[in-house]
PDB file of all heavy atoms in Angstrom:
ATOM      1  N   LYS A 210      26.941  -4.571  -4.218  1.00  0.00           N
ATOM      2  CA  LYS A 210      26.723  -4.077  -5.493  1.00  0.00           C
ATOM      3  C   LYS A 210      27.919  -3.322  -6.229  1.00  0.00           C
ATOM      4  O   LYS A 210      27.766  -2.908  -7.410  1.00  0.00           O
ATOM      5  CB  LYS A 210      25.537  -3.092  -5.464  1.00  0.00           C
ATOM      6  CG  LYS A 210      24.193  -3.757  -5.083  1.00  0.00           C
ATOM      7  CD  LYS A 210      23.611  -4.678  -6.026  1.00  0.00           C
ATOM      8  CE  LYS A 210      22.231  -5.167  -5.705  1.00  0.00           C
ATOM      9  NZ  LYS A 210      22.230  -5.958  -4.520  1.00  0.00           N
ATOM     10  N   GLN A 278      13.307  -2.019  -7.948  1.00  0.00           N
ATOM     11  CA  GLN A 278      13.938  -2.846  -6.876  1.00  0.00           C
ATOM     12  C   GLN A 278      12.945  -3.470  -5.871  1.00  0.00           C
ATOM     13  O   GLN A 278      13.372  -4.339  -5.110  1.00  0.00           O
ATOM     14  CB  GLN A 278      15.020  -2.053  -6.180  1.00  0.00           C
ATOM     15  CG  GLN A 278      16.242  -1.584  -7.109  1.00  0.00           C
ATOM     16  CD  GLN A 278      16.879  -2.941  -7.724  1.00  0.00           C
ATOM     17  OE1 GLN A 278      17.438  -3.589  -6.980  1.00  0.00           O
ATOM     18  NE2 GLN A 278      16.880  -2.962  -9.034  1.00  0.00           N
ATOM     19  N   SER A 281      10.228  -7.584  -5.467  1.00  0.00           N
ATOM     20  CA  SER A 281      10.205  -8.933  -4.860  1.00  0.00           C
ATOM     21  C   SER A 281       8.841  -9.223  -4.116  1.00  0.00           C
ATOM     22  O   SER A 281       8.509  -8.301  -3.200  1.00  0.00           O
ATOM     23  CB  SER A 281      11.365  -9.103  -3.789  1.00  0.00           C
ATOM     24  OG  SER A 281      11.223 -10.295  -3.137  1.00  0.00           O
ATOM     25  N   MET A 400     -34.555  -0.303  -9.713  1.00  0.00           N
ATOM     26  CA  MET A 400     -33.649   0.757 -10.132  1.00  0.00           C
ATOM     27  C   MET A 400     -33.222   0.749 -11.541  1.00  0.00           C
ATOM     28  O   MET A 400     -32.804   1.783 -12.120  1.00  0.00           O
ATOM     29  CB  MET A 400     -32.418   0.917  -9.103  1.00  0.00           C
ATOM     30  CG  MET A 400     -32.742   1.249  -7.825  1.00  0.00           C
ATOM     31  SD  MET A 400     -33.472   3.065  -7.630  1.00  0.00           S
ATOM     32  CE  MET A 400     -32.066   3.941  -8.076  1.00  0.00           C
TER      33      MET A 400
ATOM     34  P     G B  37     -35.271  12.346 -10.355  1.00  0.00           P
ATOM     35  OP1   G B  37     -35.045  13.646  -9.839  1.00  0.00           O
ATOM     36  OP2   G B  37     -35.704  12.226 -11.947  1.00  0.00           O
ATOM     37  O5'   G B  37     -33.936  11.554 -10.312  1.00  0.00           O
ATOM     38  C5'   G B  37     -33.036  11.748  -9.218  1.00  0.00           C
ATOM     39  C4'   G B  37     -31.851  10.763  -9.251  1.00  0.00           C
ATOM     40  O4'   G B  37     -32.424   9.399  -8.820  1.00  0.00           O
ATOM     41  C3'   G B  37     -31.346  10.547 -10.648  1.00  0.00           C
ATOM     42  O3'   G B  37     -30.313  11.505 -10.974  1.00  0.00           O
ATOM     43  C2'   G B  37     -30.724   9.143 -10.507  1.00  0.00           C
ATOM     44  O2'   G B  37     -29.542   9.047  -9.910  1.00  0.00           O
ATOM     45  C1'   G B  37     -31.719   8.448  -9.663  1.00  0.00           C
ATOM     46  N9    G B  37     -32.773   7.713 -10.454  1.00  0.00           N
ATOM     47  C8    G B  37     -34.026   8.057 -10.724  1.00  0.00           C
ATOM     48  N7    G B  37     -34.746   7.088 -11.365  1.00  0.00           N
ATOM     49  C5    G B  37     -33.902   6.150 -11.468  1.00  0.00           C
ATOM     50  C6    G B  37     -34.175   4.792 -11.858  1.00  0.00           C
ATOM     51  O6    G B  37     -35.088   4.265 -12.348  1.00  0.00           O
ATOM     52  N1    G B  37     -33.035   4.007 -11.696  1.00  0.00           N
ATOM     53  C2    G B  37     -31.835   4.337 -11.051  1.00  0.00           C
ATOM     54  N2    G B  37     -30.840   3.471 -11.119  1.00  0.00           N
ATOM     55  N3    G B  37     -31.576   5.630 -10.714  1.00  0.00           N
ATOM     56  C4    G B  37     -32.684   6.248 -10.832  1.00  0.00           C
ATOM     57  P     C B  74      23.538  -0.925  -4.324  1.00  0.00           P
ATOM     58  OP1   C B  74      24.797  -1.641  -4.492  1.00  0.00           O
ATOM     59  OP2   C B  74      22.475  -1.301  -5.126  1.00  0.00           O
ATOM     60  O5'   C B  74      23.160  -1.076  -2.668  1.00  0.00           O
ATOM     61  C5'   C B  74      23.993  -0.693  -1.827  1.00  0.00           C
ATOM     62  C4'   C B  74      23.416  -0.568  -0.431  1.00  0.00           C
ATOM     63  O4'   C B  74      22.397   0.582  -0.472  1.00  0.00           O
ATOM     64  C3'   C B  74      22.469  -1.679  -0.083  1.00  0.00           C
ATOM     65  O3'   C B  74      23.134  -2.818   0.530  1.00  0.00           O
ATOM     66  C2'   C B  74      21.545  -1.055   1.007  1.00  0.00           C
ATOM     67  O2'   C B  74      22.357  -0.885   2.157  1.00  0.00           O
ATOM     68  C1'   C B  74      21.300   0.242   0.357  1.00  0.00           C
ATOM     69  N1    C B  74      20.056   0.235  -0.646  1.00  0.00           N
ATOM     70  C2    C B  74      18.833   0.500   0.056  1.00  0.00           C
ATOM     71  O2    C B  74      18.880   0.788   1.303  1.00  0.00           O
ATOM     72  N3    C B  74      17.755   0.469  -0.723  1.00  0.00           N
ATOM     73  C4    C B  74      17.792   0.146  -1.981  1.00  0.00           C
ATOM     74  N4    C B  74      16.638   0.083  -2.739  1.00  0.00           N
ATOM     75  C5    C B  74      18.997  -0.074  -2.667  1.00  0.00           C
ATOM     76  C6    C B  74      20.130  -0.112  -1.884  1.00  0.00           C
ATOM     77  P     C B  76      18.907  -8.166   2.377  1.00  0.00           P
ATOM     78  OP1   C B  76      19.018  -8.981   3.506  1.00  0.00           O
ATOM     79  OP2   C B  76      19.861  -8.292   1.190  1.00  0.00           O
ATOM     80  O5'   C B  76      17.500  -8.117   1.813  1.00  0.00           O
ATOM     81  C5'   C B  76      16.406  -8.805   2.517  1.00  0.00           C
ATOM     82  C4'   C B  76      15.274  -7.842   2.631  1.00  0.00           C
ATOM     83  O4'   C B  76      15.447  -6.795   1.688  1.00  0.00           O
ATOM     84  C3'   C B  76      13.933  -8.425   2.208  1.00  0.00           C
ATOM     85  O3'   C B  76      13.369  -9.098   3.259  1.00  0.00           O
ATOM     86  C2'   C B  76      13.127  -7.125   1.912  1.00  0.00           C
ATOM     87  O2'   C B  76      12.725  -6.552   3.052  1.00  0.00           O
ATOM     88  C1'   C B  76      14.217  -6.274   1.175  1.00  0.00           C
ATOM     89  N1    C B  76      14.207  -6.280  -0.254  1.00  0.00           N
ATOM     90  C2    C B  76      13.107  -5.960  -0.875  1.00  0.00           C
ATOM     91  O2    C B  76      12.133  -5.648  -0.259  1.00  0.00           O
ATOM     92  N3    C B  76      13.075  -6.006  -2.314  1.00  0.00           N
ATOM     93  C4    C B  76      14.215  -6.252  -2.901  1.00  0.00           C
ATOM     94  N4    C B  76      14.225  -6.239  -4.293  1.00  0.00           N
ATOM     95  C5    C B  76      15.469  -6.589  -2.243  1.00  0.00           C
ATOM     96  C6    C B  76      15.442  -6.638  -0.930  1.00  0.00           C
ATOM     97  P     A B  77      12.423 -10.553   2.905  1.00  0.00           P
ATOM     98  OP1   A B  77      12.365 -11.282   4.003  1.00  0.00           O
ATOM     99  OP2   A B  77      13.064 -11.062   1.652  1.00  0.00           O
ATOM    100  O5'   A B  77      11.055  -9.929   2.485  1.00  0.00           O
ATOM    101  C5'   A B  77       9.911 -10.841   2.578  1.00  0.00           C
ATOM    102  C4'   A B  77       8.822 -10.367   1.700  1.00  0.00           C
ATOM    103  O4'   A B  77       8.330  -9.085   2.444  1.00  0.00           O
ATOM    104  C3'   A B  77       9.224  -9.829   0.348  1.00  0.00           C
ATOM    105  O3'   A B  77       8.531 -10.613  -0.638  1.00  0.00           O
ATOM    106  C2'   A B  77       8.987  -8.321   0.264  1.00  0.00           C
ATOM    107  O2'   A B  77       8.389  -8.041  -0.866  1.00  0.00           O
ATOM    108  C1'   A B  77       8.197  -7.994   1.550  1.00  0.00           C
ATOM    109  N9    A B  77       8.827  -6.873   2.186  1.00  0.00           N
ATOM    110  C8    A B  77       9.955  -6.691   2.840  1.00  0.00           C
ATOM    111  N7    A B  77      10.018  -5.443   3.305  1.00  0.00           N
ATOM    112  C5    A B  77       9.101  -4.749   2.840  1.00  0.00           C
ATOM    113  C6    A B  77       8.598  -3.554   3.085  1.00  0.00           C
ATOM    114  N6    A B  77       9.333  -2.656   3.688  1.00  0.00           N
ATOM    115  N1    A B  77       7.384  -3.065   2.553  1.00  0.00           N
ATOM    116  C2    A B  77       6.655  -4.044   1.874  1.00  0.00           C
ATOM    117  N3    A B  77       6.959  -5.336   1.710  1.00  0.00           N
ATOM    118  C4    A B  77       8.084  -5.609   2.192  1.00  0.00           C
TER     119        A B  77
END
Side-chain angles (χ1 to χ4, degrees):
Chain A
K210 293 295 189 293
Q278 292 301 298
S281 179
M400 289 299 287

